[in-house]
Amino acid sequence: MKKGIATAALFVMVVMAAAVVQDAAAVECNPMKLFPCLGAISSGRDPSAECCTKLKEQQPCFCEYIRNPQLKPYVDSPNAKKVAAVCGIKPPTC
């Protein structure tokens, strides 16, 4: 009986781990989702809670954005770095 419970618990843990990995891979890299941050990045003022949430969602995409010549000036700007720091997001290592 205990072996069956342990097997079921292990199965549940594997399924949950797979769901977490799938969620990370399911991030849609869309810089337009960062629109709530536009005011903070352009003016240097503190970001809204919505901006921080969107930054955290899009964090797996930052290297892609930095490699894009059209987006790099925005992503790599001093104000963008300030906004990321206020939101508790570390700069990406690409």
Side-chain angles (χ1 to χ4, degrees), residues 26-52:
V27 173
E28 178 189 350
C29 292
N30 181 350
M32 294 305 292
K33 292 190 178 215
L34 296 175
F35 186 76
C37 300
L38 184 61
I41 291 172
S42 62
S43 70
R45 67 178 186 253
D46 283 346
S48 65
E50 182 183 13
C51 170
C52 290

PDB file of all heavy atoms in Angstrom, residues 26-52:
ATOM      1  N   ALA A  26       6.254  28.249 -22.776  1.00  0.00           N
ATOM      2  CA  ALA A  26       5.072  28.785 -23.421  1.00  0.00           C
ATOM      3  C   ALA A  26       5.024  30.314 -23.415  1.00  0.00           C
ATOM      4  O   ALA A  26       4.040  30.879 -23.838  1.00  0.00           O
ATOM      5  CB  ALA A  26       3.823  28.231 -22.741  1.00  0.00           C
ATOM      6  N   VAL A  27       6.062  30.974 -22.942  1.00  0.00           N
ATOM      7  CA  VAL A  27       6.075  32.437 -22.925  1.00  0.00           C
ATOM      8  C   VAL A  27       6.063  32.942 -24.360  1.00  0.00           C
ATOM      9  O   VAL A  27       6.872  32.542 -25.187  1.00  0.00           O
ATOM     10  CB  VAL A  27       7.324  32.973 -22.191  1.00  0.00           C
ATOM     11  CG1 VAL A  27       7.429  34.472 -22.329  1.00  0.00           C
ATOM     12  CG2 VAL A  27       7.296  32.563 -20.740  1.00  0.00           C
ATOM     13  N   GLU A  28       5.112  33.803 -24.646  1.00  0.00           N
ATOM     14  CA  GLU A  28       5.031  34.419 -25.967  1.00  0.00           C
ATOM     15  C   GLU A  28       5.877  35.682 -25.942  1.00  0.00           C
ATOM     16  O   GLU A  28       5.562  36.640 -25.243  1.00  0.00           O
ATOM     17  CB  GLU A  28       3.585  34.772 -26.305  1.00  0.00           C
ATOM     18  CG  GLU A  28       3.453  35.461 -27.643  1.00  0.00           C
ATOM     19  CD  GLU A  28       2.056  36.006 -27.880  1.00  0.00           C
ATOM     20  OE1 GLU A  28       1.137  35.701 -27.123  1.00  0.00           O
ATOM     21  OE2 GLU A  28       1.904  36.770 -28.846  1.00  0.00           O
ATOM     22  N   CYS A  29       6.967  35.662 -26.685  1.00  0.00           N
ATOM     23  CA  CYS A  29       7.844  36.829 -26.740  1.00  0.00           C
ATOM     24  C   CYS A  29       7.210  37.876 -27.648  1.00  0.00           C
ATOM     25  O   CYS A  29       7.219  37.761 -28.866  1.00  0.00           O
ATOM     26  CB  CYS A  29       9.228  36.437 -27.257  1.00  0.00           C
ATOM     27  SG  CYS A  29      10.129  35.401 -26.104  1.00  0.00           S
ATOM     28  N   ASN A  30       6.641  38.873 -27.009  1.00  0.00           N
ATOM     29  CA  ASN A  30       5.961  39.936 -27.721  1.00  0.00           C
ATOM     30  C   ASN A  30       6.270  41.250 -27.010  1.00  0.00           C
ATOM     31  O   ASN A  30       5.724  41.507 -25.936  1.00  0.00           O
ATOM     32  CB  ASN A  30       4.452  39.672 -27.747  1.00  0.00           C
ATOM     33  CG  ASN A  30       3.688  40.727 -28.494  1.00  0.00           C
ATOM     34  OD1 ASN A  30       4.207  41.778 -28.868  1.00  0.00           O
ATOM     35  ND2 ASN A  30       2.409  40.477 -28.706  1.00  0.00           N
ATOM     36  N   PRO A  31       7.133  42.075 -27.585  1.00  0.00           N
ATOM     37  CA  PRO A  31       7.501  43.319 -26.905  1.00  0.00           C
ATOM     38  C   PRO A  31       6.317  44.248 -26.667  1.00  0.00           C
ATOM     39  O   PRO A  31       6.367  45.101 -25.781  1.00  0.00           O
ATOM     40  CB  PRO A  31       8.540  43.954 -27.831  1.00  0.00           C
ATOM     41  CG  PRO A  31       8.373  43.296 -29.146  1.00  0.00           C
ATOM     42  CD  PRO A  31       7.801  41.938 -28.871  1.00  0.00           C
ATOM     43  N   MET A  32       5.228  44.081 -27.404  1.00  0.00           N
ATOM     44  CA  MET A  32       4.044  44.918 -27.189  1.00  0.00           C
ATOM     45  C   MET A  32       3.412  44.646 -25.820  1.00  0.00           C
ATOM     46  O   MET A  32       2.690  45.481 -25.299  1.00  0.00           O
ATOM     47  CB  MET A  32       3.019  44.702 -28.301  1.00  0.00           C
ATOM     48  CG  MET A  32       3.494  45.182 -29.670  1.00  0.00           C
ATOM     49  SD  MET A  32       4.012  46.923 -29.672  1.00  0.00           S
ATOM     50  CE  MET A  32       2.454  47.723 -29.388  1.00  0.00           C
ATOM     51  N   LYS A  33       3.702  43.482 -25.248  1.00  0.00           N
ATOM     52  CA  LYS A  33       3.178  43.171 -23.918  1.00  0.00           C
ATOM     53  C   LYS A  33       3.839  44.040 -22.851  1.00  0.00           C
ATOM     54  O   LYS A  33       3.368  44.105 -21.725  1.00  0.00           O
ATOM     55  CB  LYS A  33       3.364  41.700 -23.606  1.00  0.00           C
ATOM     56  CG  LYS A  33       2.483  40.832 -24.478  1.00  0.00           C
ATOM     57  CD  LYS A  33       2.474  39.413 -24.035  1.00  0.00           C
ATOM     58  CE  LYS A  33       1.537  38.654 -24.942  1.00  0.00           C
ATOM     59  NZ  LYS A  33       0.814  37.612 -24.290  1.00  0.00           N
ATOM     60  N   LEU A  34       4.925  44.719 -23.224  1.00  0.00           N
ATOM     61  CA  LEU A  34       5.610  45.603 -22.286  1.00  0.00           C
ATOM     62  C   LEU A  34       5.106  47.039 -22.377  1.00  0.00           C
ATOM     63  O   LEU A  34       5.695  47.949 -21.787  1.00  0.00           O
ATOM     64  CB  LEU A  34       7.124  45.550 -22.542  1.00  0.00           C
ATOM     65  CG  LEU A  34       7.765  44.188 -22.299  1.00  0.00           C
ATOM     66  CD1 LEU A  34       9.219  44.206 -22.697  1.00  0.00           C
ATOM     67  CD2 LEU A  34       7.603  43.774 -20.847  1.00  0.00           C
ATOM     68  N   PHE A  35       4.027  47.253 -23.080  1.00  0.00           N
ATOM     69  CA  PHE A  35       3.457  48.597 -23.240  1.00  0.00           C
ATOM     70  C   PHE A  35       3.217  49.301 -21.899  1.00  0.00           C
ATOM     71  O   PHE A  35       3.449  50.506 -21.793  1.00  0.00           O
ATOM     72  CB  PHE A  35       2.175  48.537 -24.063  1.00  0.00           C
ATOM     73  CG  PHE A  35       1.616  49.891 -24.383  1.00  0.00           C
ATOM     74  CD1 PHE A  35       2.187  50.684 -25.366  1.00  0.00           C
ATOM     75  CD2 PHE A  35       0.524  50.387 -23.679  1.00  0.00           C
ATOM     76  CE1 PHE A  35       1.683  51.947 -25.650  1.00  0.00           C
ATOM     77  CE2 PHE A  35       0.014  51.644 -23.956  1.00  0.00           C
ATOM     78  CZ  PHE A  35       0.592  52.427 -24.942  1.00  0.00           C
ATOM     79  N   PRO A  36       2.779  48.581 -20.845  1.00  0.00           N
ATOM     80  CA  PRO A  36       2.587  49.261 -19.563  1.00  0.00           C
ATOM     81  C   PRO A  36       3.876  49.886 -18.994  1.00  0.00           C
ATOM     82  O   PRO A  36       3.813  50.704 -18.091  1.00  0.00           O
ATOM     83  CB  PRO A  36       2.074  48.158 -18.634  1.00  0.00           C
ATOM     84  CG  PRO A  36       1.459  47.154 -19.544  1.00  0.00           C
ATOM     85  CD  PRO A  36       2.289  47.206 -20.799  1.00  0.00           C
ATOM     86  N   CYS A  37       5.018  49.515 -19.537  1.00  0.00           N
ATOM     87  CA  CYS A  37       6.307  50.036 -19.062  1.00  0.00           C
ATOM     88  C   CYS A  37       6.790  51.228 -19.882  1.00  0.00           C
ATOM     89  O   CYS A  37       7.796  51.850 -19.517  1.00  0.00           O
ATOM     90  CB  CYS A  37       7.367  48.947 -19.113  1.00  0.00           C
ATOM     91  SG  CYS A  37       6.991  47.516 -18.096  1.00  0.00           S
ATOM     92  N   LEU A  38       6.118  51.538 -20.955  1.00  0.00           N
ATOM     93  CA  LEU A  38       6.593  52.575 -21.863  1.00  0.00           C
ATOM     94  C   LEU A  38       6.796  53.911 -21.157  1.00  0.00           C
ATOM     95  O   LEU A  38       7.832  54.556 -21.328  1.00  0.00           O
ATOM     96  CB  LEU A  38       5.634  52.737 -23.046  1.00  0.00           C
ATOM     97  CG  LEU A  38       6.058  53.729 -24.117  1.00  0.00           C
ATOM     98  CD1 LEU A  38       7.385  53.310 -24.742  1.00  0.00           C
ATOM     99  CD2 LEU A  38       4.978  53.846 -25.177  1.00  0.00           C
ATOM    100  N   GLY A  39       5.848  54.335 -20.354  1.00  0.00           N
ATOM    101  CA  GLY A  39       5.969  55.612 -19.655  1.00  0.00           C
ATOM    102  C   GLY A  39       7.159  55.641 -18.716  1.00  0.00           C
ATOM    103  O   GLY A  39       7.906  56.625 -18.671  1.00  0.00           O
ATOM    104  N   ALA A  40       7.360  54.582 -17.969  1.00  0.00           N
ATOM    105  CA  ALA A  40       8.480  54.516 -17.029  1.00  0.00           C
ATOM    106  C   ALA A  40       9.815  54.490 -17.763  1.00  0.00           C
ATOM    107  O   ALA A  40      10.771  55.159 -17.358  1.00  0.00           O
ATOM    108  CB  ALA A  40       8.335  53.295 -16.132  1.00  0.00           C
ATOM    109  N   ILE A  41       9.887  53.744 -18.865  1.00  0.00           N
ATOM    110  CA  ILE A  41      11.142  53.654 -19.614  1.00  0.00           C
ATOM    111  C   ILE A  41      11.450  54.967 -20.318  1.00  0.00           C
ATOM    112  O   ILE A  41      12.598  55.407 -20.343  1.00  0.00           O
ATOM    113  CB  ILE A  41      11.099  52.471 -20.607  1.00  0.00           C
ATOM    114  CG1 ILE A  41      11.103  51.153 -19.831  1.00  0.00           C
ATOM    115  CG2 ILE A  41      12.279  52.525 -21.572  1.00  0.00           C
ATOM    116  CD1 ILE A  41      10.873  49.927 -20.678  1.00  0.00           C
ATOM    117  N   SER A  42      10.437  55.624 -20.852  1.00  0.00           N
ATOM    118  CA  SER A  42      10.696  56.866 -21.585  1.00  0.00           C
ATOM    119  C   SER A  42      10.960  58.046 -20.655  1.00  0.00           C
ATOM    120  O   SER A  42      11.687  58.959 -21.006  1.00  0.00           O
ATOM    121  CB  SER A  42       9.553  57.181 -22.546  1.00  0.00           C
ATOM    122  OG  SER A  42       8.353  57.382 -21.839  1.00  0.00           O
ATOM    123  N   SER A  43      10.394  58.022 -19.449  1.00  0.00           N
ATOM    124  CA  SER A  43      10.546  59.172 -18.551  1.00  0.00           C
ATOM    125  C   SER A  43      11.507  58.932 -17.393  1.00  0.00           C
ATOM    126  O   SER A  43      11.964  59.877 -16.772  1.00  0.00           O
ATOM    127  CB  SER A  43       9.177  59.554 -17.970  1.00  0.00           C
ATOM    128  OG  SER A  43       8.752  58.556 -17.061  1.00  0.00           O
ATOM    129  N   GLY A  44      11.763  57.674 -17.081  1.00  0.00           N
ATOM    130  CA  GLY A  44      12.628  57.363 -15.955  1.00  0.00           C
ATOM    131  C   GLY A  44      11.895  57.312 -14.626  1.00  0.00           C
ATOM    132  O   GLY A  44      12.516  57.109 -13.587  1.00  0.00           O
ATOM    133  N   ARG A  45      10.564  57.475 -14.643  1.00  0.00           N
ATOM    134  CA  ARG A  45       9.811  57.405 -13.382  1.00  0.00           C
ATOM    135  C   ARG A  45       9.643  55.948 -12.948  1.00  0.00           C
ATOM    136  O   ARG A  45       9.901  55.026 -13.719  1.00  0.00           O
ATOM    137  CB  ARG A  45       8.473  58.122 -13.505  1.00  0.00           C
ATOM    138  CG  ARG A  45       7.495  57.488 -14.440  1.00  0.00           C
ATOM    139  CD  ARG A  45       6.172  58.266 -14.448  1.00  0.00           C
ATOM    140  NE  ARG A  45       5.202  57.586 -15.239  1.00  0.00           N
ATOM    141  CZ  ARG A  45       4.796  57.977 -16.436  1.00  0.00           C
ATOM    142  NH1 ARG A  45       5.289  59.064 -16.972  1.00  0.00           N
ATOM    143  NH2 ARG A  45       3.893  57.282 -17.094  1.00  0.00           N
ATOM    144  N   ASP A  46       9.207  55.760 -11.726  1.00  0.00           N
ATOM    145  CA  ASP A  46       9.037  54.404 -11.196  1.00  0.00           C
ATOM    146  C   ASP A  46       7.952  53.657 -11.969  1.00  0.00           C
ATOM    147  O   ASP A  46       6.933  54.242 -12.344  1.00  0.00           O
ATOM    148  CB  ASP A  46       8.671  54.443  -9.715  1.00  0.00           C
ATOM    149  CG  ASP A  46       9.882  54.747  -8.834  1.00  0.00           C
ATOM    150  OD1 ASP A  46      11.019  54.671  -9.335  1.00  0.00           O
ATOM    151  OD2 ASP A  46       9.677  55.050  -7.649  1.00  0.00           O
ATOM    152  N   PRO A  47       8.167  52.368 -12.183  1.00  0.00           N
ATOM    153  CA  PRO A  47       7.192  51.564 -12.934  1.00  0.00           C
ATOM    154  C   PRO A  47       5.974  51.220 -12.082  1.00  0.00           C
ATOM    155  O   PRO A  47       6.035  51.183 -10.858  1.00  0.00           O
ATOM    156  CB  PRO A  47       7.979  50.300 -13.280  1.00  0.00           C
ATOM    157  CG  PRO A  47       8.979  50.184 -12.189  1.00  0.00           C
ATOM    158  CD  PRO A  47       9.345  51.593 -11.811  1.00  0.00           C
ATOM    159  N   SER A  48       4.889  50.944 -12.773  1.00  0.00           N
ATOM    160  CA  SER A  48       3.662  50.487 -12.102  1.00  0.00           C
ATOM    161  C   SER A  48       3.807  49.003 -11.756  1.00  0.00           C
ATOM    162  O   SER A  48       4.685  48.306 -12.266  1.00  0.00           O
ATOM    163  CB  SER A  48       2.463  50.677 -13.028  1.00  0.00           C
ATOM    164  OG  SER A  48       2.590  49.835 -14.166  1.00  0.00           O
ATOM    165  N   ALA A  49       2.904  48.533 -10.917  1.00  0.00           N
ATOM    166  CA  ALA A  49       2.881  47.096 -10.582  1.00  0.00           C
ATOM    167  C   ALA A  49       2.613  46.269 -11.829  1.00  0.00           C
ATOM    168  O   ALA A  49       3.191  45.192 -12.014  1.00  0.00           O
ATOM    169  CB  ALA A  49       1.826  46.830  -9.512  1.00  0.00           C
ATOM    170  N   GLU A  50       1.747  46.780 -12.714  1.00  0.00           N
ATOM    171  CA  GLU A  50       1.452  46.061 -13.956  1.00  0.00           C
ATOM    172  C   GLU A  50       2.705  45.948 -14.822  1.00  0.00           C
ATOM    173  O   GLU A  50       2.967  44.904 -15.414  1.00  0.00           O
ATOM    174  CB  GLU A  50       0.345  46.767 -14.737  1.00  0.00           C
ATOM    175  CG  GLU A  50      -0.032  46.041 -16.017  1.00  0.00           C
ATOM    176  CD  GLU A  50      -1.083  46.768 -16.840  1.00  0.00           C
ATOM    177  OE1 GLU A  50      -1.374  47.951 -16.577  1.00  0.00           O
ATOM    178  OE2 GLU A  50      -1.600  46.138 -17.771  1.00  0.00           O
ATOM    179  N   CYS A  51       3.489  47.027 -14.873  1.00  0.00           N
ATOM    180  CA  CYS A  51       4.737  47.004 -15.635  1.00  0.00           C
ATOM    181  C   CYS A  51       5.659  45.910 -15.089  1.00  0.00           C
ATOM    182  O   CYS A  51       6.205  45.116 -15.853  1.00  0.00           O
ATOM    183  CB  CYS A  51       5.414  48.369 -15.573  1.00  0.00           C
ATOM    184  SG  CYS A  51       7.105  48.386 -16.229  1.00  0.00           S
ATOM    185  N   CYS A  52       5.832  45.873 -13.793  1.00  0.00           N
ATOM    186  CA  CYS A  52       6.713  44.864 -13.187  1.00  0.00           C
ATOM    187  C   CYS A  52       6.228  43.446 -13.480  1.00  0.00           C
ATOM    188  O   CYS A  52       7.029  42.557 -13.783  1.00  0.00           O
ATOM    189  CB  CYS A  52       6.829  45.096 -11.688  1.00  0.00           C
ATOM    190  SG  CYS A  52       7.764  46.585 -11.249  1.00  0.00           S
TER     191      CYS A  52
END
